[in-house]
Amino acid sequence: MIVKTLLIASLSLSPLLGISAHEIAQKVHDRDDGDNAVSNMQMTLIDKNGKKRVRNLKTFTKDRGIDRLRLMFFLSPADVKDTGFLTYDYDDSTKDDDQWLYLPELKKVKRIASSDKSSSFMGSDFSYSDMTLRNVDDYSYKIMKEPLVGGEKTWQMMVIPKSDKVIAETGYTKSIIFVRQDNFIVIQALHYVKLGKKLKYMKVTGLEKIEDIWTITKMQMTTKKAKKSLHKTIFEFSDTQYNQALEEAFFSTRTLERGL
Amino acid sequence: MLKTIFTSVLLLGVLGYNTLNAQEKIDDDLNGFGEEVASDLDGFTDDVSGDLAGFSDEEVMNTESKNRKLHDDALRFSGNIAFKTSVGYKTHEVDGVDYSGVNQAQTSVYLQLDRKLSRDWKVRISSDAFYDAIYDLRGNEPYRQEVLDDYRTQLRLDDAYLQGRISASVDLKAGRQIVVWGKSDNIRITDVINPLDTRLPGMTDIEDLRLSVGIVKFDYYLKQWNLSAMVIPESRIMREPTPRGEFFPVDNVFNVPGGVVDPFPPLNTPATSWENMQYAFAANGVFSGWDLSFYAAEVLDQKSHFEEIPRPGVPLSGRTVSRIQMLGSAINVAYGSWLFKSEVAVLRGVKYNTSSDEKERFDALIGLEYMGIEESVISVEIANRHIFDYEQQMQYQADFVDQNEVQSALRITRSFANERLNATAVLSIFGLQWENGGFARVWLEYEVMDAVHANAGIVDYIGGDKPFREAIKDNDRVFADITYSF
């Protein structure tokens, strides 16, 4: 017990010895994750009985200053094919993101009121908040440990929202993240879900350097309750290409309506 | 002094104990990643219970290759096959036909062909067909030929258009297509371009109701604005419930001594001609947090009227649709989890059955959509249609229309099991106090497997002061369908 106490005390002091938890979070936020990117994404939804549903999407992302534009089209299965999703993800946390959905059967671009990001992203275990960049200053951070994950040294950090508003928007009361020390990628994370006392385990299972940019090629999120897995989602990214000729005008409702 | 030291030590001890307890709880939670948090990435097995036999990555990879290439095809053939059935659980007879019990057994096919001509140009052709076996299975019922023609079989061309980019800021879309105007999801105010298929009112969502029309449409994009100009050469009008069919029991709707003329006057479609060419213009602005649209159109009306005012002792004339002019606007404003919607429209040239005048009408809608409840969307829309120079006889046969016609729509959708199951409830009702009838529909949509969906639900037709809806109040039914998309 004494050893544990000392360990906790030493971890609490670690910000004084080197990089602070907040600085790590800022570096995670600021790391070069590529621009003008095109990628194929496969989303596999697996329920607790092992039944799978597979969706394939084409994604386009572009940085506009500190904001991020993202356009996604479903390619399959056939019943959701051509469904499009456009997001303007603003870095300013006081400003709501702009989101539009194109449903081919409705033949109409529909604006989505997006303040609440706790809902499932397209039926997956990832929420909309998992798919957007988080504002660093909305959270407090504390380094807990520096464990090895996948043979790589990480910072294990407690991340706690500073306000109830952030909790309401993300649905998470706190998170424990593991940040790789060599490239500032969150390699795994545990999210405490406010509703239903569920835990969500995110894990990066594929990481490659593409065009000199660390790129996540495979990740998964598993939702558990009382240590039982309820549902799992695997995202796989392929054919990722950066620095494509994506004009800002491409990220518009015009493209949503026209389709690929 | 000793007391202070003792208290401090005690407090530190309690704090330390609590901290360690919390730490142990966190460590326990972290075990959910797998046996060893710091294990190799590839060995990061996370199944605590072992219940999830299907969680291996290998199986996931197997499905990858066959799905990934789909979008690259220049020629794409898609569609769906569906089977629909419904059961009327109240006895209701129209024109000697009992529609209670199983009243639909429809198999339908939808086919769509997409051909990418170049990077900027593509062609789409789609059509649908159905056969409803119930009319043969219940062959002893005295269905009218008009009912059989409208409900037993169908072969229809839907979309057929060429779409492309003329320049960096100009698009062209020419051919049969659907153009949706307005921000509302449930009530149509400015959405005047495409006619509706309302043969089965209350049974179909708006997305399946619109009928494609031949349009030549130019779109010009200037920063956040899109200016749209349309020429509509095709005179295509709505498909109404068949007279003396289940949803238009004319003898119950109209009170005519000796009965309503049989056959009921047909609905005549204006000729497709230069004289009947329709025009439409729109300006759509998309801004951060809000959208704004302006519309102007000269198009065929979405409702029919008798060509001559019905008079006692005079044979009923045929029915047709008038040409109307519409000026309108629509706005969306997103705030937090709320989406505010509003639409207004001024319509000129609206014809009714009981007045020889062309009327002017002002339609307005406000709506709210709330997305702040996890996996749920709640939307409420209320509209009013105000007729200027209203004449008192319009409230009676054969119009049954008030000077102010209020329509309310409530829609609640909630997803369960990672959107595998969606539950939706819709209420659409007329009258300020909901006194004029409407319908309520509740249904569940279940994703059986990739590309296979099943629906099951119930529709309650609500009677009221208006004979059109009172006459079909017993058409309540449960329904189910299954669709395979390919």
Side-chain angles (χ1 to χ4, degrees):
Chain A
M1 184 170 278
I2 291 168
V3 173
K4 260 189 175 176
T5 309
L6 286 172
L7 181 64
I8 291 165
S10 69
L11 282 168
S12 302
L13 288 172
S14 70
L16 302 175
L17 303 174
I19 191 167
S20 74
H22 190 275
E23 285 170 336
I24 294 168
Q26 191 65 54
K27 283 184 180 291
V28 168
H29 181 274
D30 295 343
R31 83 173 176 86
D32 182 9
D33 57 355
D35 193 9
N36 289 308
V38 181
S39 183
N40 289 323
M41 174 177 160
Q42 185 175 73
M43 184 163 83
T44 305
L45 314 175
I46 309 170
D47 71 13
K48 63 183 179 183
N49 298 314
K51 283 187 181 172
K52 288 182 205 156
R53 294 177 288 159
V54 181
R55 278 108 177 79
N56 283 282
L57 301 94
K58 185 107 183 167
T59 71
F60 305 86
T61 53
K62 181 181 182 65
D63 292 340
R64 185 175 63 184
I66 54 174
D67 302 326
R68 170 155 293 187
L69 316 179
R70 179 184 285 123
L71 183 61
M72 307 174 112
F73 283 103
F74 278 85
L75 306 173
S76 71
D79 51 351
V80 295
K81 186 190 69 184
D82 295 333
T83 298
F85 187 64
L86 174 65
T87 304
Y88 292 177
D89 183 1
Y90 298 112
D91 188 68
D92 180 358
S93 63
T94 61
K95 186 176 180 181
D96 289 333
D97 293 347
D98 282 307
Q99 294 184 340
W100 297 268
L101 184 67
Y102 178 75
L103 296 169
E105 69 267 28
L106 208 60
K107 293 185 169 65
K108 177 182 174 183
V109 174
K110 183 175 165 51
R111 180 180 279 277
I112 306 293
S114 59
S115 175
D116 174 33
K117 293 188 170 61
S118 61
S119 290
S120 159
F121 172 76
M122 311 280 187
S124 74
D125 292 87
F126 292 83
S127 67
Y128 283 92
S129 70
D130 297 321
M131 305 298 291
T132 56
L133 287 173
R134 298 196 194 179
N135 189 289
V136 175
D137 293 331
D138 284 346
Y139 301 86
S140 63
Y141 306 89
K142 184 183 171 187
I143 297 172
M144 302 167 70
K145 290 181 187 175
E146 297 190 22
L148 289 175
V149 175
E152 302 290 343
K153 203 171 181 188
T154 68
W155 288 291
Q156 179 184 328
M157 302 206 304
M158 177 70 79
V159 183
I160 297 178
K162 285 181 181 171
S163 68
D164 289 341
K165 181 174 174 277
V166 177
I167 293 174
E169 284 175 2
T170 62
Y172 300 147
T173 56
K174 63 181 177 185
S175 300
I176 297 171
I177 63 173
F178 296 75
V179 181
R180 256 176 71 160
Q181 296 192 4
D182 59 334
N183 56 19
F184 293 94
I185 287 181
V186 178
I187 201 79
Q188 61 186 37
L190 165 58
H191 303 294
Y192 290 77
V193 183
K194 186 182 177 190
L195 291 177
K197 293 185 177 176
K198 293 175 198 163
L199 300 178
K200 291 195 348 186
Y201 295 84
M202 187 283 290
K203 179 167 171 49
V204 172
T205 54
L207 190 61
E208 288 176 28
K209 241 183 178 178
I210 298 173
E211 297 173 39
D212 214 31
I213 295 165
W214 281 107
T215 305
I216 294 170
T217 55
K218 192 172 179 181
M219 62 198 291
Q220 65 186 43
M221 182 80 87
T222 308
T223 305
K224 296 187 178 188
K225 187 172 183 177
K227 298 189 177 180
K228 298 277 188 190
S229 292
L230 304 176
H231 199 271
K232 179 177 182 176
T233 300
I234 300 169
F235 283 174
E236 288 176 84
F237 302 91
S238 61
D239 305 323
T240 301
Q241 294 173 288
Y242 295 108
N243 303 314
Q244 299 299 296
L246 298 177
E247 293 174 11
E248 196 175 314
F250 178 74
F251 295 84
S252 65
T253 53
R254 178 191 189 184
T255 312
L256 265 187
E257 280 186 87
R258 280 175 51 91
L260 286 176
Chain B
M1 183 69 178
L2 267 176
K3 194 178 173 185
T4 309
I5 292 169
F6 177 75
T7 308
S8 300
V9 169
L10 188 67
L11 271 174
L12 281 170
V14 170
L15 282 171
Y17 179 77
N18 284 341
T19 306
L20 287 172
N21 261 0
Q23 184 61 38
E24 281 169 7
K25 172 74 172 71
I26 287 169
D27 287 343
D28 188 40
D29 292 336
L30 288 172
N31 282 334
F33 280 112
E35 292 304 314
E36 295 172 42
V37 172
S39 63
D40 289 336
L41 287 179
D42 291 338
F44 203 100
T45 56
D46 63 342
D47 301 333
V48 173
S49 64
D51 291 342
L52 308 177
F55 269 25
S56 70
D57 288 342
E58 288 74 21
E59 288 183 44
V60 175
M61 294 302 288
N62 287 341
T63 60
E64 184 179 353
S65 55
K66 76 175 177 187
N67 290 307
R68 190 154 285 163
K69 278 203 146 193
L70 293 176
H71 65 282
D72 294 329
D73 298 338
L75 182 67
R76 205 167 63 176
F77 189 65
S78 59
N80 65 59
I81 299 170
F83 178 76
K84 299 176 182 173
T85 187
S86 63
V87 179
Y89 56 84
K90 285 182 180 172
T91 302
H92 58 292
E93 199 171 284
V94 179
D95 197 37
V97 177
D98 178 14
Y99 284 95
S100 61
V102 180
N103 51 27
Q104 187 182 41
Q106 185 192 90
T107 304
S108 64
V109 179
Y110 171 79
L111 299 173
Q112 180 176 302
L113 182 73
D114 289 284
R115 176 84 167 96
K116 196 133 185 163
L117 303 174
S118 68
R119 184 170 168 265
D120 290 330
W121 290 89
K122 64 182 176 185
V123 171
R124 170 171 292 177
I125 299 171
S126 65
S127 67
D128 73 275
F130 70 67
Y131 165 64
D132 194 335
I134 202 67
Y135 297 94
D136 292 315
L137 293 170
R138 295 177 65 161
N140 54 339
E141 296 284 359
Y143 296 110
R144 283 173 172 261
Q145 189 58 46
E146 303 95 286
V147 170
L148 296 176
D149 290 345
D150 286 348
Y151 292 95
R152 183 168 64 174
T153 54
Q154 173 172 285
L155 178 59
R156 187 169 71 185
L157 177 67
D158 297 318
D159 289 346
Y161 60 78
L162 168 73
Q163 181 180 21
R165 183 174 294 200
I166 295 175
S167 72
S169 54
V170 179
D171 286 354
L172 168 69
K173 192 172 178 182
R176 265 201 170 179
Q177 59 187 286
I178 288 173
V179 177
V180 181
W181 277 4
K183 312 299 180 193
S184 151
D185 293 321
N186 304 296
I187 300 174
R188 302 177 91 202
I189 298 294
T190 57
D191 185 26
V192 296
I193 304 297
N194 294 87
L196 296 187
D197 182 349
T198 58
R199 280 175 291 176
L200 292 171
M203 282 289 286
T204 330
D205 244 12
I206 187 75
E207 62 259 31
D208 297 322
L209 291 178
R210 293 186 182 92
L211 296 169
S212 290
V213 175
I215 300 173
V216 179
K217 178 169 171 266
F218 291 93
D219 282 291
Y220 175 63
Y221 295 87
L222 180 66
K223 295 183 177 174
Q224 285 141 314
W225 284 94
N226 154 227
L227 307 177
S228 191
M230 281 167 264
V231 178
I232 309 169
E234 184 183 10
S235 294
R236 194 177 193 193
I237 61 170
M238 67 290 216
R239 292 206 68 178
E240 294 181 327
T242 308
R244 293 194 166 85
E246 186 185 11
F247 286 95
F248 192 8
V250 292
D251 297 303
N252 298 340
V253 172
F254 300 112
N255 180 20
V256 177
V260 180
V261 63
D262 190 3
F264 194 71
L267 178 54
N268 300 316
T269 304
T272 295
S273 64
W274 282 108
E275 293 75 33
N276 289 332
M277 189 82 77
Q278 303 162 75
Y279 307 94
F281 305 92
N284 301 298
V286 178
F287 309 96
S288 182
W290 62 293
D291 309 314
L292 178 66
S293 296
F294 298 101
Y295 307 112
E298 182 163 330
V299 291
L300 295 174
D301 197 1
Q302 304 286 331
K303 68 175 198 59
S304 66
H305 64 276
F306 288 108
E307 289 165 344
E308 303 291 336
I309 296 176
R311 297 182 202 287
V314 178
L316 281 174
S317 63
R319 294 177 298 141
T320 189
V321 294
S322 61
R323 192 180 172 90
I324 59 163
Q325 296 88 46
M326 191 277 281
L327 280 176
S329 181
I331 188 169
N332 255 347
V333 180
Y335 182 77
S337 298
W338 296 89
L339 184 66
F340 168 78
K341 298 177 255 187
S342 183
E343 292 187 37
V344 291
V346 176
L347 297 98
R348 285 184 182 152
V350 184
K351 294 275 286 178
Y352 291 90
N353 293 319
T354 55
S355 172
S356 55
D357 295 345
E358 290 185 344
K359 299 292 180 187
E360 194 167 307
R361 212 174 71 201
F362 177 70
D363 296 357
L365 172 143
I366 55 169
L368 267 181
E369 201 166 287
Y370 182 62
M371 300 179 186
I373 301 171
E374 208 170 316
E375 313 301 344
S376 304
V377 181
I378 301 170
S379 77
V380 180
E381 293 171 357
I382 298 171
N384 185 44
R385 297 178 177 90
H386 176 84
I387 302 169
F388 293 99
D389 299 322
Y390 180 78
E391 297 170 43
Q392 288 306 312
Q393 76 273 12
M394 293 167 71
Q395 66 186 296
Y396 306 115
Q397 190 166 286
D399 277 316
F400 305 112
V401 63
D402 296 326
Q403 183 170 20
N404 288 290
E405 182 189 60
V406 176
Q407 183 181 0
S408 308
L410 171 69
R411 175 183 290 260
I412 302 171
T413 303
R414 186 169 175 82
S415 298
F416 303 91
N418 294 80
E419 293 185 12
R420 184 158 216 152
L421 179 69
N422 295 300
T424 307
V426 174
L427 172 69
S428 174
I429 197 155
F430 290 82
L432 188 60
Q433 297 173 312
W434 297 5
E435 72 278 13
N436 291 335
F439 72 88
R441 188 167 87 243
V442 179
W443 73 101
L444 296 172
E445 181 186 22
Y446 184 70
E447 187 178 340
V448 181
M449 55 192 287
D450 283 341
V452 178
H453 276 88
N455 287 288
I458 185 167
V459 185
D460 178 20
Y461 293 92
I462 303 163
D465 294 346
K466 299 298 177 190
F468 287 109
R469 298 184 196 99
E470 179 68 13
I472 61 169
K473 67 177 182 183
D474 291 329
N475 289 20
D476 304 345
R477 63 197 57 211
V478 292
F479 64 91
D481 60 69
I482 187 161
T483 304
Y484 166 65
S485 303
F486 54 87

